[in-house]
C-alpha cells in the first residue's frame, strides 16, 4: 500500500502475519527514490513506536535554520544531536535550543528497515524540510514538503495499521 506521493514523499507498506505476530515491511519514497529496505520484516509493535514518535512530535520541530546547507546541517545533527551537554548550540552562527534539536530526529537507526539511515524533519515557515543521510552509500537527500504533508502520510499509515489490525483481531476472535 502506498501512502503519499512517490514524487514528493510516500511510505510503501505491507502488513503480514508471522505465526502469532503482526509484522510490517515498509520503506520511504522521496522524489521517486527508494529509501530503506522493504524486504526486512519487522514486528509491528516495534515499528509502531517509531511511527507514533514521528506523529507525536508534530509541531515540536520548528527551527529557523533554512539558510544552513543540507550537508552541513545533516552532518552536524548526526554528530551533535544526541550530545546532551549544552542547552544551546550554533550551526553556521545560528543559535538553536538543544531541546528543539532533539526533536528533529525522527528515529535514526531506530527502525530495522532504516538501519544506517539518519532521518530528520525540520518544521519551517510554510513547509517541512526532510533531511536524510544514507550511511551505507554516504548519500544526502533533502526535500521541502508542503506543510503537514509529511505528517499526513504518517497519520494515514497509522490509521491503516490500526484499522487493519483491528479487522484481523476481530476476524481471529470470531473464528474461535
Amino acid at each position: 500500500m502506498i501512502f503519499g506521493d512517490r514524487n514528493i514523499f510516500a511510505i510503501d507498506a505491507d502488513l503480514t502475519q508471522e505465526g502469532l505476530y503482526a509484522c510490517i515491511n515498509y520503506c520511504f519514497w522521496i522524489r521517486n527514490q527508494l529509501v530503506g529496505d522493504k524486504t526486512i520484516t519487522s514486528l509491528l509493535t516495534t515499528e509502531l513506536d517509531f511511527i507514533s514518535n514521528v506523529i507525536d512530535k508534530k509541531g515540536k520541530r520548528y527551527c529557523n535554520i533554512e539558510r544552513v546547507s543540507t550537508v552541513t546541517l545533516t552532518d552536524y545533527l548526526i554528530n551533535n544531536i544526541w550530545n546532551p551537554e549544552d542547552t544551546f548550540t550554533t550551526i553556521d552562527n545560528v543559535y538553536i535550543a538543544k531541546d528543539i534539536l532533539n526533536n528533529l530526529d525522527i528515529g535514526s537507526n531506530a527502525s530495522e528497515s532504516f538501519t544506517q539511515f539518519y532521518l530528520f524533519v525540520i518544521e519551517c515557515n510554510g513547509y517541512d524540510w526532510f533531511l536524510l543521510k544514507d550511511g551505507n552509500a554516504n548519500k544526502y537527500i533533502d526535500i521541502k514538503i508542503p506543510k503537514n504533508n509529511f505528517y499526513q502520510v504518517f497519520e494515514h499509515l497509522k490509521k491503516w495499521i490500526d484499522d487493519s489490525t483491528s479487522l484481523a483481531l476481530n476476524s481471529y476472535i470470531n473464528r474461535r
Side-chain angles (χ1 to χ4, degrees):
M1 188 84 171
I2 301 279
F3 302 90
D5 181 345
R6 289 170 107 175
N7 293 315
I8 301 171
F9 175 77
I11 299 174
D12 186 353
D14 295 313
L15 293 175
T16 59
Q17 186 77 32
E18 302 284 331
L20 297 174
Y21 302 102
C23 299
I24 188 169
N25 295 61
Y26 69 115
C27 63
F28 296 156
W29 287 94
I30 302 170
R31 287 193 195 132
N32 238 357
Q33 295 178 56
L34 178 67
V35 173
D37 187 348
K38 192 177 175 195
T39 65
I40 293 176
T41 302
S42 302
L43 284 174
L44 182 59
T45 54
T46 303
E47 298 304 321
L48 277 173
D49 288 341
F50 169 76
I51 294 164
S52 295
N53 181 52
V54 171
I55 296 167
D56 291 346
K57 290 188 178 175
K58 178 180 178 180
K60 298 176 184 168
R61 294 184 170 103
Y62 181 79
C63 196
N64 189 16
I65 53 177
E66 298 141 45
R67 67 179 188 201
V68 180
S69 80
T70 300
V71 172
T72 299
L73 180 56
T74 305
D75 283 343
Y76 180 87
L77 292 172
I78 291 168
N79 293 321
N80 294 289
I81 199 166
W82 299 284
N83 180 358
E85 292 176 11
D86 301 323
T87 55
F88 286 92
T89 189
T90 60
I91 304 171
D92 280 0
N93 297 320
V94 176
Y95 290 92
I96 303 160
K98 216 43 185 299
D99 61 335
I100 291 173
L101 280 184
N102 294 337
N103 289 332
L104 302 183
D105 177 37
I106 65 165
S108 299
N109 288 305
S111 168
E112 293 179 36
S113 297
F114 300 101
T115 300
Q116 286 300 306
F117 285 91
Y118 301 92
L119 312 164
F120 305 98
V121 170
I122 302 167
E123 298 169 0
C124 301
N125 291 324
Y127 61 90
D128 295 319
W129 191 14
F130 185 84
L131 301 170
L132 172 137
K133 180 179 181 183
D134 178 346
N136 299 308
N138 199 31
K139 180 179 177 181
Y140 296 84
I141 298 174
D142 79 294
I143 184 168
K144 293 176 179 168
I145 303 169
K147 193 74 174 162
N148 293 321
N149 178 275
F150 173 80
Y151 293 109
Q152 289 170 352
V153 170
F154 271 92
E155 288 164 353
H156 287 123
L157 172 66
K158 176 91 169 56
K159 183 177 180 341
W160 174 72
I161 290 169
D162 291 346
D163 291 347
S164 298
T165 54
S166 293
L167 289 171
L169 286 173
N170 288 337
S171 174
Y172 177 76
I173 290 169
N174 290 334
R175 280 188 272 152
R176 296 184 99 209

